[in-house]
Amino acid sequence: MYTTHSEVDTGSGVPVKEPQRQLYYIELIKDIINKKENETGRKQLMYVNTFGCQMNAHDSEKLEGMLLEMGYGRAEKETEADFIIYNTCCVRENAENKVYGNLGMLKPYKKKKPDTIIALCGCMMQQSSVTDTIRSKYSFVDIVFGTYNLYRLPELLYSRLTSGEQVCEIMTGRGEIVENLPSVRHFRYKASVNIMYGCDNFCSYCIVPYVRGRERSRRPEDIIAEIKSLVADGVCEVTLLGQNVNSYGKGLEEKISFAELLRLVNDIDGIKRIRFMTSHPKDLSDELIYAMRDCKKVCRHIHLPFQAGNNDILRRMNRHYTKEDYLGLVEKLRENIPDIGITTDIMVGFPGEYNVDDTLDIIRKARFSGAFTFIYSKRNGTPAAVMEDQVDPAAVKKNFDSVLGEVNRICAELNLEKVGKVFEVLAEGVCGQDERLLSGRLEDNTLIHFEGDHSLIGSIVNVRVTESRIFYLMGKQEDL
Ligand code: 5AD
Ligand code: SF4
């Protein structure tokens, strides 16, 4: 699934405006790639390796879209590619370590095949400590760029291909939003759509606002136009993406809230399901809860990270809500949207968090149908990194295990309650583990594998749950 673009005139100089400028460079690279293919007698291949969150996964779809448009094919594995790009994450230290680990393995490959171009981009590159390390210890890397200028890949690659020099471009300040560059989708029937970039919340542990910059919302008409073109291409489920979707609209000329945007998307013909993530509890308005209740296509699911249960910890995390506020929101959501699935992010071991009693209390009361659990990771440059009472890792591990145990116990209970009942499922594709089964999700986002004909892929099917596991369900298509 791949969107191409109209003819570009490469005869009248380099366009100043975007996206025309990058489309111009794509055309120039096409010629270079063509020549290489004629010389070598084989297709030039690329490999995009994505680390981190859904936002990065979606950015990688844009990188791949541009590379395919240039004429690259997809390599099955890294070590077959002529162009390798890592789209990096730095939210926790282990994400960074993974990047360095993989990069270490690329060094001998680059030695053997010096024509291979290696590029690094994304969140990690926005930190000067990282770019310094890359320059000194990983000098075989050809192109380095950050999160603000992802759309400039064609120009940067062209510069590397023609100059032979290392190219490094890290931007700061306000990022430009560039519409209408090529993109691919990894799924036929579902797609992610950015509605905003960046984050203004500055939770005290989090590096994201520093590496993804201030909040910038896309114009509603651009979002709607993108969704309409996705629908025309067969997509029936969209996920609206942003670091904090509830504060969508800030800074736009036209006054619009996220709840209003949801209602506009709900009115688009052909869309069957609408999801969104991530929501911040401090901005979860009644207006949004009512929009979720009223809009039939909006899935009964919300991802609402609470991070920690203790009020003192929440205050020092700069989260702007209390345990009681959070539980109040959960109650309001359940009152207005019966059967809603609530999922969350939980962090264990923030400075000063020696016990997780309040966190466990929230888990028991809110009864999450899923949770991402993380051990706090110290990020240099954030206020939490210089807080005094960093917790001993052994104590953190014990607390983490009890949080995980409780989350899993409740997920399993919720899944067990579903056995015997019938749910609507969007059949997303063939199950990775067993070709005879299809995989999809319930409205509340629970994963299910079920017996059903392949012709059902892309439609919403009634499925009876036959078995439950901690993280997923098994089922059978219900005869109508
Ligand atoms: N350490 C551990 N987890 C973190 N997250 C963000 N910053 C850190 C950190 N320094 C988690 C939060 C957030 C999710 C995307 O990543 O739980 O919601
Ligand atoms: Fe990080 Fe907080 Fe922004 Fe989420 S809301 S990206 S945790 S600063």
PDB file of all heavy atoms in Angstrom, residues 362-379:
ATOM      1  N   ILE A 362      -4.718   1.506  42.629  1.00  0.00           N
ATOM      2  CA  ILE A 362      -5.343   1.957  41.370  1.00  0.00           C
ATOM      3  C   ILE A 362      -5.573   0.757  40.440  1.00  0.00           C
ATOM      4  O   ILE A 362      -6.640   0.624  39.833  1.00  0.00           O
ATOM      5  CB  ILE A 362      -4.482   3.034  40.657  1.00  0.00           C
ATOM      6  CG1 ILE A 362      -4.480   4.347  41.458  1.00  0.00           C
ATOM      7  CG2 ILE A 362      -4.991   3.277  39.230  1.00  0.00           C
ATOM      8  CD1 ILE A 362      -3.994   5.577  40.696  1.00  0.00           C
ATOM      9  N   ILE A 363      -4.580  -0.117  40.334  1.00  0.00           N
ATOM     10  CA  ILE A 363      -4.713  -1.278  39.429  1.00  0.00           C
ATOM     11  C   ILE A 363      -5.950  -2.096  39.824  1.00  0.00           C
ATOM     12  O   ILE A 363      -6.746  -2.504  38.979  1.00  0.00           O
ATOM     13  CB  ILE A 363      -3.441  -2.168  39.485  1.00  0.00           C
ATOM     14  CG1 ILE A 363      -2.240  -1.395  38.928  1.00  0.00           C
ATOM     15  CG2 ILE A 363      -3.637  -3.468  38.726  1.00  0.00           C
ATOM     16  CD1 ILE A 363      -0.891  -2.069  39.152  1.00  0.00           C
ATOM     17  N   ARG A 364      -6.125  -2.302  41.136  1.00  0.00           N
ATOM     18  CA  ARG A 364      -7.251  -3.126  41.597  1.00  0.00           C
ATOM     19  C   ARG A 364      -8.575  -2.431  41.370  1.00  0.00           C
ATOM     20  O   ARG A 364      -9.574  -3.052  41.016  1.00  0.00           O
ATOM     21  CB  ARG A 364      -7.079  -3.459  43.087  1.00  0.00           C
ATOM     22  CG  ARG A 364      -6.007  -4.504  43.288  1.00  0.00           C
ATOM     23  CD  ARG A 364      -5.730  -4.788  44.764  1.00  0.00           C
ATOM     24  NE  ARG A 364      -4.470  -5.513  44.858  1.00  0.00           N
ATOM     25  CZ  ARG A 364      -3.502  -5.219  45.710  1.00  0.00           C
ATOM     26  NH1 ARG A 364      -3.636  -4.237  46.586  1.00  0.00           N
ATOM     27  NH2 ARG A 364      -2.388  -5.923  45.715  1.00  0.00           N
ATOM     28  N   LYS A 365      -8.602  -1.120  41.570  1.00  0.00           N
ATOM     29  CA  LYS A 365      -9.881  -0.401  41.439  1.00  0.00           C
ATOM     30  C   LYS A 365     -10.228  -0.128  39.972  1.00  0.00           C
ATOM     31  O   LYS A 365     -11.390  -0.182  39.580  1.00  0.00           O
ATOM     32  CB  LYS A 365      -9.830   0.907  42.236  1.00  0.00           C
ATOM     33  CG  LYS A 365      -9.846   0.626  43.730  1.00  0.00           C
ATOM     34  CD  LYS A 365      -9.889   1.889  44.539  1.00  0.00           C
ATOM     35  CE  LYS A 365     -10.091   1.548  46.019  1.00  0.00           C
ATOM     36  NZ  LYS A 365      -9.286   2.418  46.894  1.00  0.00           N
ATOM     37  N   ALA A 366      -9.223   0.218  39.163  1.00  0.00           N
ATOM     38  CA  ALA A 366      -9.536   0.603  37.776  1.00  0.00           C
ATOM     39  C   ALA A 366      -9.728  -0.612  36.880  1.00  0.00           C
ATOM     40  O   ALA A 366     -10.445  -0.542  35.904  1.00  0.00           O
ATOM     41  CB  ALA A 366      -8.418   1.486  37.216  1.00  0.00           C
ATOM     42  N   ARG A 367      -9.120  -1.726  37.219  1.00  0.00           N
ATOM     43  CA  ARG A 367      -9.221  -2.978  36.460  1.00  0.00           C
ATOM     44  C   ARG A 367      -8.922  -2.761  34.967  1.00  0.00           C
ATOM     45  O   ARG A 367      -9.820  -2.740  34.112  1.00  0.00           O
ATOM     46  CB  ARG A 367     -10.587  -3.641  36.668  1.00  0.00           C
ATOM     47  CG  ARG A 367     -10.804  -4.036  38.131  1.00  0.00           C
ATOM     48  CD  ARG A 367     -12.090  -4.782  38.376  1.00  0.00           C
ATOM     49  NE  ARG A 367     -12.209  -6.080  37.742  1.00  0.00           N
ATOM     50  CZ  ARG A 367     -11.615  -7.200  38.154  1.00  0.00           C
ATOM     51  NH1 ARG A 367     -10.816  -7.177  39.202  1.00  0.00           N
ATOM     52  NH2 ARG A 367     -11.811  -8.326  37.522  1.00  0.00           N
ATOM     53  N   PHE A 368      -7.642  -2.637  34.682  1.00  0.00           N
ATOM     54  CA  PHE A 368      -7.195  -2.367  33.314  1.00  0.00           C
ATOM     55  C   PHE A 368      -7.241  -3.633  32.464  1.00  0.00           C
ATOM     56  O   PHE A 368      -6.860  -4.702  32.935  1.00  0.00           O
ATOM     57  CB  PHE A 368      -5.752  -1.841  33.333  1.00  0.00           C
ATOM     58  CG  PHE A 368      -5.626  -0.551  34.077  1.00  0.00           C
ATOM     59  CD1 PHE A 368      -5.053  -0.514  35.344  1.00  0.00           C
ATOM     60  CD2 PHE A 368      -6.104   0.626  33.522  1.00  0.00           C
ATOM     61  CE1 PHE A 368      -4.954   0.677  36.042  1.00  0.00           C
ATOM     62  CE2 PHE A 368      -6.007   1.823  34.210  1.00  0.00           C
ATOM     63  CZ  PHE A 368      -5.442   1.849  35.473  1.00  0.00           C
ATOM     64  N   SER A 369      -7.650  -3.459  31.215  1.00  0.00           N
ATOM     65  CA  SER A 369      -7.629  -4.633  30.324  1.00  0.00           C
ATOM     66  C   SER A 369      -6.252  -4.806  29.681  1.00  0.00           C
ATOM     67  O   SER A 369      -6.024  -5.758  28.944  1.00  0.00           O
ATOM     68  CB  SER A 369      -8.724  -4.530  29.268  1.00  0.00           C
ATOM     69  OG  SER A 369      -8.693  -3.266  28.656  1.00  0.00           O
ATOM     70  N   GLY A 370      -5.347  -3.912  29.957  1.00  0.00           N
ATOM     71  CA  GLY A 370      -3.973  -4.052  29.473  1.00  0.00           C
ATOM     72  C   GLY A 370      -3.132  -2.942  30.062  1.00  0.00           C
ATOM     73  O   GLY A 370      -3.655  -1.874  30.377  1.00  0.00           O
ATOM     74  N   ALA A 371      -1.832  -3.200  30.234  1.00  0.00           N
ATOM     75  CA  ALA A 371      -0.958  -2.141  30.756  1.00  0.00           C
ATOM     76  C   ALA A 371       0.464  -2.368  30.270  1.00  0.00           C
ATOM     77  O   ALA A 371       0.940  -3.505  30.209  1.00  0.00           O
ATOM     78  CB  ALA A 371      -0.979  -2.146  32.283  1.00  0.00           C
ATOM     79  N   PHE A 372       1.121  -1.275  29.892  1.00  0.00           N
ATOM     80  CA  PHE A 372       2.553  -1.325  29.631  1.00  0.00           C
ATOM     81  C   PHE A 372       3.225  -0.932  30.928  1.00  0.00           C
ATOM     82  O   PHE A 372       2.936   0.139  31.487  1.00  0.00           O
ATOM     83  CB  PHE A 372       2.952  -0.342  28.540  1.00  0.00           C
ATOM     84  CG  PHE A 372       2.357  -0.666  27.195  1.00  0.00           C
ATOM     85  CD1 PHE A 372       1.447   0.190  26.596  1.00  0.00           C
ATOM     86  CD2 PHE A 372       2.707  -1.835  26.529  1.00  0.00           C
ATOM     87  CE1 PHE A 372       0.893  -0.115  25.355  1.00  0.00           C
ATOM     88  CE2 PHE A 372       2.161  -2.142  25.286  1.00  0.00           C
ATOM     89  CZ  PHE A 372       1.258  -1.275  24.701  1.00  0.00           C
ATOM     90  N   THR A 373       4.099  -1.805  31.427  1.00  0.00           N
ATOM     91  CA  THR A 373       4.759  -1.516  32.706  1.00  0.00           C
ATOM     92  C   THR A 373       6.247  -1.279  32.466  1.00  0.00           C
ATOM     93  O   THR A 373       6.880  -2.031  31.717  1.00  0.00           O
ATOM     94  CB  THR A 373       4.580  -2.703  33.678  1.00  0.00           C
ATOM     95  OG1 THR A 373       4.840  -3.903  32.952  1.00  0.00           O
ATOM     96  CG2 THR A 373       3.178  -2.763  34.224  1.00  0.00           C
ATOM     97  N   PHE A 374       6.764  -0.227  33.072  1.00  0.00           N
ATOM     98  CA  PHE A 374       8.159   0.144  32.831  1.00  0.00           C
ATOM     99  C   PHE A 374       8.880   0.367  34.152  1.00  0.00           C
ATOM    100  O   PHE A 374       8.290   0.865  35.114  1.00  0.00           O
ATOM    101  CB  PHE A 374       8.246   1.460  32.057  1.00  0.00           C
ATOM    102  CG  PHE A 374       7.462   1.457  30.772  1.00  0.00           C
ATOM    103  CD1 PHE A 374       6.275   2.178  30.665  1.00  0.00           C
ATOM    104  CD2 PHE A 374       7.909   0.732  29.681  1.00  0.00           C
ATOM    105  CE1 PHE A 374       5.554   2.172  29.481  1.00  0.00           C
ATOM    106  CE2 PHE A 374       7.195   0.726  28.491  1.00  0.00           C
ATOM    107  CZ  PHE A 374       6.015   1.451  28.386  1.00  0.00           C
ATOM    108  N   ILE A 375      10.166   0.032  34.153  1.00  0.00           N
ATOM    109  CA  ILE A 375      11.016   0.429  35.273  1.00  0.00           C
ATOM    110  C   ILE A 375      11.547   1.815  34.942  1.00  0.00           C
ATOM    111  O   ILE A 375      11.974   2.062  33.801  1.00  0.00           O
ATOM    112  CB  ILE A 375      12.151  -0.592  35.468  1.00  0.00           C
ATOM    113  CG1 ILE A 375      11.549  -1.886  36.053  1.00  0.00           C
ATOM    114  CG2 ILE A 375      13.259  -0.031  36.365  1.00  0.00           C
ATOM    115  CD1 ILE A 375      12.533  -2.992  36.319  1.00  0.00           C
ATOM    116  N   TYR A 376      11.504   2.710  35.903  1.00  0.00           N
ATOM    117  CA  TYR A 376      11.988   4.079  35.698  1.00  0.00           C
ATOM    118  C   TYR A 376      13.421   4.045  35.174  1.00  0.00           C
ATOM    119  O   TYR A 376      14.263   3.315  35.693  1.00  0.00           O
ATOM    120  CB  TYR A 376      11.913   4.864  37.014  1.00  0.00           C
ATOM    121  CG  TYR A 376      12.725   6.133  36.984  1.00  0.00           C
ATOM    122  CD1 TYR A 376      12.297   7.221  36.242  1.00  0.00           C
ATOM    123  CD2 TYR A 376      13.938   6.232  37.674  1.00  0.00           C
ATOM    124  CE1 TYR A 376      13.060   8.396  36.186  1.00  0.00           C
ATOM    125  CE2 TYR A 376      14.703   7.384  37.633  1.00  0.00           C
ATOM    126  CZ  TYR A 376      14.250   8.457  36.875  1.00  0.00           C
ATOM    127  OH  TYR A 376      15.004   9.597  36.817  1.00  0.00           O
ATOM    128  N   SER A 377      13.673   4.839  34.170  1.00  0.00           N
ATOM    129  CA  SER A 377      15.015   4.923  33.593  1.00  0.00           C
ATOM    130  C   SER A 377      15.457   6.383  33.637  1.00  0.00           C
ATOM    131  O   SER A 377      14.745   7.265  33.170  1.00  0.00           O
ATOM    132  CB  SER A 377      14.944   4.391  32.158  1.00  0.00           C
ATOM    133  OG  SER A 377      16.092   4.685  31.441  1.00  0.00           O
ATOM    134  N   LYS A 378      16.613   6.597  34.244  1.00  0.00           N
ATOM    135  CA  LYS A 378      17.092   7.980  34.427  1.00  0.00           C
ATOM    136  C   LYS A 378      17.523   8.569  33.080  1.00  0.00           C
ATOM    137  O   LYS A 378      18.356   7.991  32.378  1.00  0.00           O
ATOM    138  CB  LYS A 378      18.293   7.907  35.375  1.00  0.00           C
ATOM    139  CG  LYS A 378      18.855   9.211  35.767  1.00  0.00           C
ATOM    140  CD  LYS A 378      19.762   8.951  36.950  1.00  0.00           C
ATOM    141  CE  LYS A 378      20.964   9.837  36.923  1.00  0.00           C
ATOM    142  NZ  LYS A 378      21.826   9.592  38.065  1.00  0.00           N
ATOM    143  N   ARG A 379      16.922   9.700  32.701  1.00  0.00           N
ATOM    144  CA  ARG A 379      17.250  10.338  31.422  1.00  0.00           C
ATOM    145  C   ARG A 379      17.951  11.662  31.688  1.00  0.00           C
ATOM    146  O   ARG A 379      17.335  12.592  32.256  1.00  0.00           O
ATOM    147  CB  ARG A 379      15.975  10.598  30.603  1.00  0.00           C
ATOM    148  CG  ARG A 379      15.098   9.390  30.306  1.00  0.00           C
ATOM    149  CD  ARG A 379      15.636   8.464  29.229  1.00  0.00           C
ATOM    150  NE  ARG A 379      16.882   7.794  29.555  1.00  0.00           N
ATOM    151  CZ  ARG A 379      17.772   7.380  28.650  1.00  0.00           C
ATOM    152  NH1 ARG A 379      17.557   7.578  27.388  1.00  0.00           N
ATOM    153  NH2 ARG A 379      18.863   6.761  29.013  1.00  0.00           N
TER     154      ARG A 379
END
